[in-house]
């Protein structure tokens, strides 16, 4: 019999325990091992909880028990999760985590520690909740040269934008509703300002392109400035505004990870991902493109991914080297600056004749993809051209109210 220890008995940790006991028989048949939740580490007591007898307050109890082979880290944050996970790996215990901040900030160190001790550090639950995306990227899609990844990686902001898009609700009202329904974080700035999606795109970028990408290397813009008018203009042009986490490899071999609101045209499946659902689109030379879709947050969806990792860890006989990456090389610019960004753009403006949009498009050498009385959409261009277009509109007396890039499908 092998024991599983759960670190953190909050929403996700309690989901891991609940789902494990709901499906224990099936999990044991799948792994060929008898398994038990041996310990639950938390600062709090849980009187009356059916598993209160497993609660411990000292990580040392778990580290000292040789029967604990697997650890589910569901505490969140970097401290003390980093220290606890590192010590578990050093003690020969494999760890599965739902903690995207930990993986985005310390993943390279923990992957190296796991390798040194012949165990695994898995993190399927850290991106997209229930959606299998980490494992498919380095197993099923391993034969591909993956060139880019883009997705809706934050359920809260997607819920807010859908309310704005479908129900004509203003930003503040939609956020209030998301908080009331329990989707948003207590302090929703990590959702709204893009920090949560940033950590997730760091993890996907590191895995796909093989070197650690840190949150401070990612251009990150949230949805605070998106107005109902922006959403309505995108709709007029046949698209929806979504918070998109994306990374692509550029011609010079560098990568450009970004998090920003983008117009996603209706032809893209991503534009139809609504509510708290997440989706990740992957482009590769063999697959063309493939989309992964599912619940990006919540107790049992996230617990499903954590337990899936534990089940895989039980079956592994050594470290899975394909699910890892190298530390970032000092002095090597692997991540391109935002100046290298290019995309079509959607401009919302003061009232303006269509002729002006077309005239300026011709002057700066872009195609006018669409125009309305209060804005236009122009074809793919670099930052310099997008700026020139904006300047020339200003010279014509047109006020630019917003500029939102358009996702290329
Ligand atoms: N607050 C996050 C979201 C939770 O809304 O997607 C899952 O990471």
């Amino acid at each position: 019999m092998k024991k599983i220890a759960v670190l953190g008995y909050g929403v996700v940790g309690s989901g891991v325990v609940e789902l494990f006991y709901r499906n224990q028989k099936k999990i044991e048949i799948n792994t060929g091992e008898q398994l038990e939740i041996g310990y639950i580490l938390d600062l709090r007591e849980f009187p009356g909880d059916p598993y209160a007898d497993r609660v411990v307050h000292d990580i040392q109890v778990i580290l000292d028990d040789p029967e604990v082979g697997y650890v589910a880290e569901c505490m969140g944050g970097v401290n003390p999760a980093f220290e606890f996970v590192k010590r578990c790996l050093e003690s020969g215990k494999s760890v599965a985590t739902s903690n995207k901040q930990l993986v985005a900030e310390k993943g390279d160190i923990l992957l190296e520690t796991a390798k040194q001790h012949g165990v695994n550090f898995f993190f399927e639950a850290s991106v997209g909740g229930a959606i299998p995306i980490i494992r498919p990227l380095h197993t099923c899609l391993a034969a591909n040269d993956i060139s880019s990844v883009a997705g809706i990686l934050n359920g809260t902001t997607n819920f807010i934008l859908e309310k704005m898009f479908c129900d004509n609700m203003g930003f503040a009202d939609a956020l209030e509703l998301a908080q009331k329904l329990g989707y948003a974080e207590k302090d929703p700035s990590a959702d709204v300002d893009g920090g949560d999606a940033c950590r997730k795109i760091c993890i996907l970028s590191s895995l796909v392109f093989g070197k650690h990408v840190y949150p401070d290397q990612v251009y990150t813009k949230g949805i605070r400035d998106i107005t109902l008018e922006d959403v309505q203009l995108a709709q007029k042009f046949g698209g929806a505004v979504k918070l998109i986490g994306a990374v692509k490899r550029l011609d010079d071999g560098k990568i450009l990870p970004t998090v920003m609101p983008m117009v996603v045209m209706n032809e893209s499946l991503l534009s139809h991902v609504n509510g708290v659902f997440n989706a990740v689109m992957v482009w590769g030379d063999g697959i063309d493109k493939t989309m992964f879709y599912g619940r990006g947050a919540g107790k049992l969806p996230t617990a499903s991914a954590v337990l899936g990792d534990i089940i895989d860890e039980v079956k592994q006989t050594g470290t899975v080297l394909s699910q890892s990456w190298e530390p970032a090389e000092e002095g090597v610019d692997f991540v391109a600056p935002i100046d290298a960004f290019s995309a079509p753009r959607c401009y919302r403006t003061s009232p303006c004749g269509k002729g002006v949009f077309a005239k300026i498009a011709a002057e700066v050498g872009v195609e006018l993809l669409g125009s309305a009385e209060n804005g236009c959409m122009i074809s793919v261009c670099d930052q310099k051209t997008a700026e020139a277009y904006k300047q020339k509109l200003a010279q014509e007396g047109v006020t630019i109210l917003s500029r939102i890039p358009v996702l290329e499908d």
Side-chain angles (χ1 to χ4, degrees):
M1 205 259 299
K2 276 280 181 197
K3 289 182 193 163
I4 299 166
V6 178
L7 312 188
Y9 202 40
V11 175
V12 178
S14 61
V16 167
V17 176
E18 181 184 330
L19 196 62
F20 174 81
Y21 282 113
R22 189 192 287 183
N23 296 320
Q24 184 176 11
K25 284 265 155 328
K26 190 176 175 298
I27 291 169
E28 288 180 340
I29 290 167
N30 186 300
T31 56
E33 278 272 1
Q34 270 192 303
L35 295 165
E36 196 57 71
I37 303 284
Y39 302 100
I40 297 166
L41 180 81
D42 204 287
L43 289 172
R44 300 162 291 179
E45 297 289 352
F46 296 89
D49 185 278
Y51 309 105
D53 59 331
R54 325 279 162 97
V55 174
V56 294
H57 307 298
D58 185 353
I59 186 73
Q60 200 60 46
V61 178
I62 293 166
L63 294 169
D64 288 345
D65 186 341
E67 287 191 338
V68 175
Y70 313 99
V71 175
E73 188 277 302
C74 311
M75 303 168 70
V78 172
N79 294 310
F82 174 62
E83 186 209 323
F84 288 2
V85 168
K86 193 158 183 292
R87 289 174 70 194
C88 287
L89 295 169
E90 287 164 350
S91 306
K93 304 173 195 313
S94 285
V95 176
T97 185
S98 56
N99 185 341
K100 56 244 164 184
Q101 190 180 359
L102 180 69
V103 185
E105 291 184 23
K106 302 284 186 189
D108 52 346
I109 300 170
L110 294 171
L111 285 164
E112 181 57 28
T113 308
K115 192 168 127 186
Q116 279 170 9
H117 293 85
V119 290
N120 281 297
F121 175 60
F122 285 166
F123 42 88
E124 186 64 70
S126 66
V127 180
I131 306 173
I133 179 62
I134 300 295
R135 197 164 280 98
L137 279 172
H138 71 94
T139 56
C140 321
L141 303 183
N144 286 262
D145 176 25
I146 295 173
S147 51
S148 63
V149 176
I152 293 164
L153 304 175
N154 181 269
T156 301
T157 45
N158 204 47
F159 173 84
I160 292 172
L161 290 170
E162 187 205 349
K163 285 287 156 204
M164 293 168 74
F165 183 75
C166 297
D167 301 346
N168 281 0
M169 204 180 259
F171 173 82
D173 291 342
L175 173 59
E176 201 183 311
L177 183 59
Q179 284 174 304
K180 211 163 107 190
L181 292 171
Y183 301 149
E185 307 286 322
K186 202 165 165 199
D187 170 8
S189 57
D191 298 304
V192 169
D193 296 324
D196 177 71
C198 167
R199 289 166 186 152
K200 292 167 181 168
I201 202 65
C202 284
I203 297 168
L204 294 177
S205 305
S206 304
L207 183 63
V208 169
F209 296 107
K211 282 193 174 61
H212 196 109
V213 175
Y214 295 96
D216 62 5
Q217 294 177 289
V218 179
Y219 175 84
T220 302
K221 188 174 185 317
I223 64 162
R224 261 186 219 278
D225 298 337
I226 298 295
T227 63
L228 186 53
E229 290 76 20
D230 292 326
V231 172
Q232 285 168 339
L233 183 65
Q235 190 174 18
K236 222 178 261 181
F237 291 139
V241 179
K242 301 282 185 191
L243 182 66
I244 297 293
V247 59
K248 67 160 84 162
R249 192 182 51 227
L250 306 178
D251 291 342
D252 64 3
K254 290 182 187 172
I255 65 161
L256 183 55
T258 52
V259 172
M260 60 174 92
M262 298 186 90
V263 175
V264 184
M265 303 308 286
N266 292 340
E267 293 74 38
S268 169
L269 280 178
L270 283 173
S271 82
H272 304 284
V273 174
N274 290 320
V276 284
F277 280 80
N278 284 190
V280 185
M281 189 81 87
V282 181
W283 285 263
D285 55 354
I287 52 170
D288 179 19
K289 59 184 172 184
T290 296
M291 193 172 94
F292 299 81
Y293 169 85
R295 288 193 179 275
K299 182 176 174 170
L300 294 184
T302 311
S304 157
V306 173
L307 280 171
D309 275 352
I310 300 261
I311 290 166
D312 193 9
E313 286 173 348
V314 175
K315 294 186 206 173
Q316 294 298 337
T317 50
T319 309
V320 177
L321 297 175
S322 61
Q323 187 168 311
S324 66
W325 54 78
E326 302 289 319
E329 262 176 275
E330 232 171 279
V332 177
D333 289 333
F334 174 56
V335 177
I338 192 62
D339 300 353
F341 180 75
S342 71
R345 323 279 164 142
C346 183
Y347 293 86
R348 187 165 64 81
T349 66
S350 57
C352 173
K354 284 182 186 180
V356 177
F357 292 132
K359 180 176 84 94
I360 298 174
E363 279 171 22
V364 302
V366 293
E367 200 186 329
L368 186 66
L369 299 176
S371 59
E373 64 289 347
N374 65 334
C376 68
M377 192 180 278
I378 59 169
S379 62
V380 59
C381 60
D382 57 23
Q383 295 282 73
K384 227 166 121 185
T385 310
E387 199 51 35
Y389 192 82
K390 189 178 144 186
Q391 295 295 335
K392 282 182 178 274
L393 279 176
Q395 281 161 18
E396 297 281 340
V398 180
T399 309
I400 317 300
L401 299 168
S402 69
R403 182 174 80 191
I404 305 179
V406 180
L407 182 70
E408 289 183 279
D409 195 18

